[in-house]
Amino acid sequence: MTHTNEQGILEIGFVGLGLIGGSIAKSIRRVFPNYKILGYDSDKTALKNAKEDGTLDVIVKDVYEEFYDCNYVFLCTPVGHNMAYLSILKDALNPDCIITDVGSVKEPIHELVKTLGMEKRFIGGHPMVGSEKSGYSSCHDRLIENAYYFLTPTKKVPQEKVTELDSFIEELGAMTIHLDAEDHDRFTAGISHVPHLIACELVHQVAKIDTKDGILKQLAAGGFKDITRIASSSPEVWEQIIISNRKNISSILKGMIDELSTLYEAVENADNEYINEYFAVANRYRSSVPDNAVGLMQKTYEIFMDIPDEPGELLKVFGLIQNINIKNVGIIHNREYEEGCLKLVFYDNESAAQAEQIFRDNHYIVYKRN
């Protein structure tokens, strides 16, 4: 572990207490309750709430003056803002402090680090977690638990500093993966950034064909809502991500445009062979993705079940799992891509598995999504 004070306590600063920054801060508070956590955010309500719930020890009013004694400073604002704060913090921290970030684009900030001569003090970071929700109110202390966490060290940062941060992140429950910045941005363009654009485009297309009274909003449940959920993410955050990683994103989009043009021709010409193979190739790759893979969007633990449309049936169902914490409940009206009319969402896989077994033991038909 990195240098601590005489009591063995780290001081950790946060610039930004949104979903990611706030959740990491909460994780640190849970795992290391004695560590000193300092926080700055332009959202004064977030700071107030973080202080009141015990996450923060100190509300920072001036990042240039108050982070000097920190062992780590996490930059947790949108990509462009992180780079601005990096310049401010260059001469505002003690020489032993390591600066890290949580941005999903790494090349631009690494280039700035090199320009500023800060390569010995910076280790890029990116927890592969997220949600369509944002802000401190959506934070929780286990968001990064069991999630992959990219670290992108510079070539000049001391190896012991990399090892210390690696150990620290893993003690919070995440699984670290080391990449260089270029590979990181190429990978995340494919598995995160372009999917966000595609989700938004699907929403745009459906909005264009919707009726004046918005009937598609009522019908577009199931698969449509599932694959477009990420389209509800913060426009400001994603604007900066897309622009910052535009080289990799443009390359993938060009490939998609070319393939969609071919697919368009196949559909127009009723080319059964091409269309079948198109689905088959996607099916094979999708089926090879492990069920326990940890993605960039927060994993959900869902079960679906059929229940009789009878008085008291829901009460009976909830009574069977009264000792299991439920995150969300929904009644499915459009079952095109859903099995079962009752959807239950849990906080973890263990709770979902326990509920599934209870329902099966009581002769309910239960489905789990792969």
Side-chain angles (χ1 to χ4, degrees):
M1 187 57 69
T2 192
H3 295 295
T4 58
N5 61 22
E6 293 180 357
Q7 290 75 42
I9 297 174
L10 288 181
E11 290 193 21
I12 303 172
F14 283 86
V15 179
L17 288 172
L19 176 69
I20 306 300
S23 293
I24 295 175
K26 283 178 176 287
S27 295
I28 295 170
R29 177 60 70 216
R30 174 176 57 83
V31 179
F32 301 105
N34 294 326
Y35 283 7
K36 184 177 180 180
I37 303 176
L38 303 83
Y40 172 84
D41 198 296
S42 59
D43 182 350
K44 304 308 177 187
T45 301
L47 290 173
K48 178 176 178 291
N49 291 339
K51 186 69 164 64
E52 289 179 350
D53 69 18
T55 299
L56 290 185
D57 295 295
V58 178
I59 291 177
V60 171
K61 296 179 181 179
D62 188 335
V63 296
Y64 188 83
E65 294 183 356
E66 299 181 57
F67 280 138
Y68 183 81
D69 292 326
C70 286
N71 303 97
Y72 294 120
V73 171
F74 285 78
L75 301 179
C76 307
T77 63
V79 175
H81 296 175
N82 280 345
M83 294 172 68
Y85 282 117
L86 185 70
S87 300
I88 293 172
L89 291 169
K90 179 179 182 295
D91 300 314
L93 304 173
N94 73 80
D96 201 42
C97 178
I98 288 294
I99 305 172
T100 187
D101 74 322
V102 299
S104 71
V105 185
K106 299 265 75 82
E107 283 191 272
I109 197 166
H110 272 270
E111 290 170 2
L112 179 60
V113 164
K114 187 174 182 179
T115 299
L116 294 174
M118 299 176 68
E119 291 178 278
K120 294 182 179 180
R121 307 172 63 190
F122 183 81
I123 302 173
H126 175 206
M128 291 185 63
V129 295
S131 170
E132 72 277 15
K133 298 178 180 178
S134 60
Y136 186 77
S137 61
S138 300
C139 299
H140 63 87
D141 63 4
R142 294 184 185 271
L143 183 68
I144 67 169
E145 191 171 76
N146 298 316
Y148 293 124
Y149 197 120
F150 287 134
L151 291 179
T152 58
T154 69
K155 289 181 172 59
K156 294 184 179 180
V157 68
Q159 182 56 46
E160 61 266 26
K161 291 293 186 181
V162 178
T163 301
E164 287 169 357
L165 180 58
D166 187 285
S167 298
F168 180 50
I169 296 300
E170 294 210 337
E171 286 184 86
L172 298 179
M175 300 173 288
T176 56
I177 297 175
H178 293 205
L179 288 174
D180 63 41
E182 183 176 356
D183 282 343
H184 171 277
D185 288 0
R186 186 161 49 87
F187 295 164
T188 54
I191 62 175
S192 175
H193 303 163
V194 170
H196 271 78
L197 288 172
I198 300 307
C200 289
E201 183 56 31
L202 284 173
V203 174
H204 281 293
Q205 293 302 320
V206 170
K208 288 178 182 178
I209 65 172
D210 202 357
T211 60
K212 290 183 179 180
D213 57 356
I215 190 171
L216 289 188
K217 293 179 184 177
Q218 299 300 318
L219 298 178
F224 178 81
K225 287 199 72 174
D226 203 38
I227 62 178
T228 60
R229 177 171 57 95
I230 53 180
S232 297
S233 300
S234 166
E236 179 189 10
V237 169
W238 280 96
E239 171 204 340
Q240 294 200 22
I241 289 172
I242 299 303
I243 296 302
S244 298
N245 200 20
R246 60 188 180 276
K247 177 184 68 175
N248 292 298
I249 292 170
S250 296
S251 176
I252 295 174
L253 286 176
K254 178 61 167 61
M256 290 187 68
I257 291 168
D258 292 343
E259 185 157 327
L260 284 172
S261 295
T262 304
L263 181 61
Y264 170 80
E265 295 294 333
V267 173
E268 280 281 290
N269 298 319
D271 187 341
N272 296 66
E273 183 178 353
Y274 180 89
I275 293 171
N276 184 284
E277 181 63 12
Y278 179 83
F279 281 111
V281 170
N283 181 297
R284 286 193 293 270
Y285 188 85
R286 171 62 176 80
S287 297
S288 71
V289 176
D291 187 46
N292 61 349
V294 182
L296 282 158
M297 298 305 296
Q298 185 178 353
K299 183 173 176 61
T300 57
Y301 304 97
E302 307 170 338
I303 64 173
F304 300 83
M305 58 189 295
D306 290 319
I307 60 171
D309 185 9
E310 298 175 359
E313 195 63 36
L314 278 177
L315 186 62
K316 178 182 175 182
V317 166
F318 294 134
L320 290 171
I321 55 171
Q322 60 183 316
N323 295 321
I324 301 176
N325 198 8
I326 301 174
K327 183 177 183 180
N328 205 350
V329 178
I331 301 295
I332 305 301
H333 298 291
N334 177 352
R335 295 173 65 178
E336 182 181 4
Y337 293 100
E338 308 278 16
E339 305 94 343
C341 63
L342 178 65
K343 174 182 177 181
L344 299 172
V345 184
F346 300 87
Y347 284 95
D348 53 64
N349 191 54
E350 291 74 19
S351 297
Q354 184 182 356
E356 179 188 6
Q357 189 58 52
I358 290 172
F359 291 136
R360 292 190 188 281
D361 290 344
N362 283 271
H363 311 294
Y364 286 96
I365 298 175
V366 183
Y367 313 88
K368 285 193 74 175
R369 176 180 295 164
N370 292 322

